[in-house]
Amino acid sequence: MRHNNKLFWSVPLFVGLFFSACGKRPIAKVDGIPIYSEDIKDEKGIQHAYGANYTDEEALLLLFQQKLREYVLLKKLSIKIREKDIEKEKERIDRETKAPEILNRVKAYFNKDKKRYLKAFVYPVLVSRLLEQTFYFDTTIQKKGYMLSREKFKALKEHPNMDIKNDSFYISLDLEKMEKENKGIPFVLPFYQMDSAVLRSLPLKGVYPEIIEDRLGYYILRKLDKKSKKFDGFFIRKRSFNKWFHDNIKDVKIEIFDKEMKNRVLSRAKGSYIEKLIIK
């Protein structure tokens, strides 16, 4: 889930980064933005560091996915990325990576070529992270669920003893049981946002004073036991990322200039959303 692209959003780093292939014929274009043979080579190198051996057409399909994410972030959401943002992302990746061996292999592939490393690896990671973060937590994009969660929260706070079992958004949770079944991850994690002191102070059927939010949705919770492990309440699911994403890229055109490559990509992408975007 990375992105490399020639941008025209006046970010200083990209002037040198994305125009380095000027004069060379691109292999393909996504919304007019070129992909060069060097981009395919670098994507294959990155995937090899992860233990996968990709063909040229498979690497190109990954680049299409990356560039489509970039298109939505920069053009549809109008989010700008600055040089310092990419530097900070590089530092974050170094600091937070769960797979240092793989990261070291990726860096070794680029052989201390910082510009190529930032372009082909760090920048696409940042694009994907910002795109998903914006989608899941922007209250404009999630407006319907966000507003409904506020309505449900207000109603339960005002009437904490109300019977809600027949509500279509009703949930019943036993965190102790979930912790055992899931070994504490990952579904239980959002509930650790709750303040233990606040939980202890709540009476039975007391409503937790904040809406708990994660990537899945909004939780309005009512305490049902003294140990603060059993709750009921409401769960309002957030919008589907895939549907929203596909709606935003449906008018993008993908051009592939090499006929043989186009045939291989079309064969590999048959039945996918990317096939529909490729100019035949």
Side-chain angles (χ1 to χ4, degrees), residues 196-232:
S196 58
V198 173
L199 283 173
R200 285 194 300 271
S201 69
L202 284 176
L204 292 184
K205 293 214 169 178
V207 179
Y208 190 74
E210 295 177 2
I211 297 171
I212 305 299
E213 179 183 5
D214 67 1
R215 288 161 64 100
L216 292 176
Y218 305 94
Y219 305 81
I220 296 96
L221 299 178
R222 182 170 61 178
K223 178 177 171 179
L224 297 181
D225 72 329
K226 291 182 179 180
K227 292 196 298 182
S228 302
K229 290 293 185 179
K230 293 182 180 180
F231 300 86
D232 71 355

Side-chain angles (χ1 to χ4, degrees), residues 259-271:
K259 185 176 180 181
E260 181 184 350
M261 175 65 82
K262 180 190 284 188
N263 289 336
R264 283 154 53 193
V265 168
L266 285 171
S267 175
R268 190 73 179 79
K270 190 172 182 62

Side-chain angles (χ1 to χ4, degrees), residues 6-127:
K6 173 181 173 185
L7 303 181
F8 33 82
W9 280 270
S10 66
V11 182
L13 176 67
F14 298 138
V15 173
L17 214 59
F18 291 91
F19 286 73
S20 59
C22 281
K24 296 183 179 180
R25 179 175 172 80
I27 297 292
K29 287 184 178 180
V30 177
D31 190 51
I33 302 170
I35 298 173
Y36 297 95
S37 58
E38 292 88 345
D39 300 324
I40 295 175
K41 179 184 176 183
D42 284 345
E43 186 59 34
K44 289 173 69 176
I46 291 168
Q47 294 305 321
H48 185 71
Y50 279 86
N53 293 312
Y54 275 51
T55 62
D56 285 357
E57 61 268 25
E58 289 171 336
L60 185 55
L61 282 167
L62 284 179
L63 289 168
F64 288 160
Q65 293 173 37
Q66 296 165 13
K67 289 183 183 294
L68 289 168
R69 284 180 163 245
E70 185 177 332
Y71 166 83
V72 175
L73 183 75
L74 276 71
K75 285 196 170 183
K76 290 290 188 176
L77 298 179
S78 300
I79 293 177
K80 289 185 170 69
I81 296 178
R82 300 161 297 178
E83 181 175 351
K84 66 179 182 180
D85 298 324
I86 301 169
E87 288 289 343
K88 286 181 180 179
E89 185 69 5
K90 178 176 75 70
E91 294 170 5
R92 186 198 66 80
I93 290 170
D94 287 340
R95 185 175 62 250
E96 299 180 9
T97 181
K98 301 295 191 295
E101 301 87 357
I102 293 175
L103 182 59
N104 287 336
R105 290 200 296 269
V106 171
K107 290 180 177 180
Y109 166 78
F110 288 102
N111 193 27
K112 298 183 180 180
D113 188 333
K114 183 179 178 181
K115 284 187 176 181
R116 281 175 56 223
Y117 174 67
L118 293 177
K119 174 191 175 184
F121 184 75
V122 176
Y123 176 68
V125 169
L126 177 59
V127 167

Side-chain angles (χ1 to χ4, degrees), residues 17 69 141 171 213 235 275:
L17 214 59
R69 284 180 163 245
I141 295 173
I171 55 168
E213 179 183 5
F235 172 64
E275 181 193 19

Side-chain angles (χ1 to χ4, degrees), residues 269-280:
K270 190 172 182 62
S272 72
Y273 72 92
I274 286 181
E275 181 193 19
K276 298 175 183 177
L277 305 178
I278 296 173
I279 297 174
K280 305 301 189 287

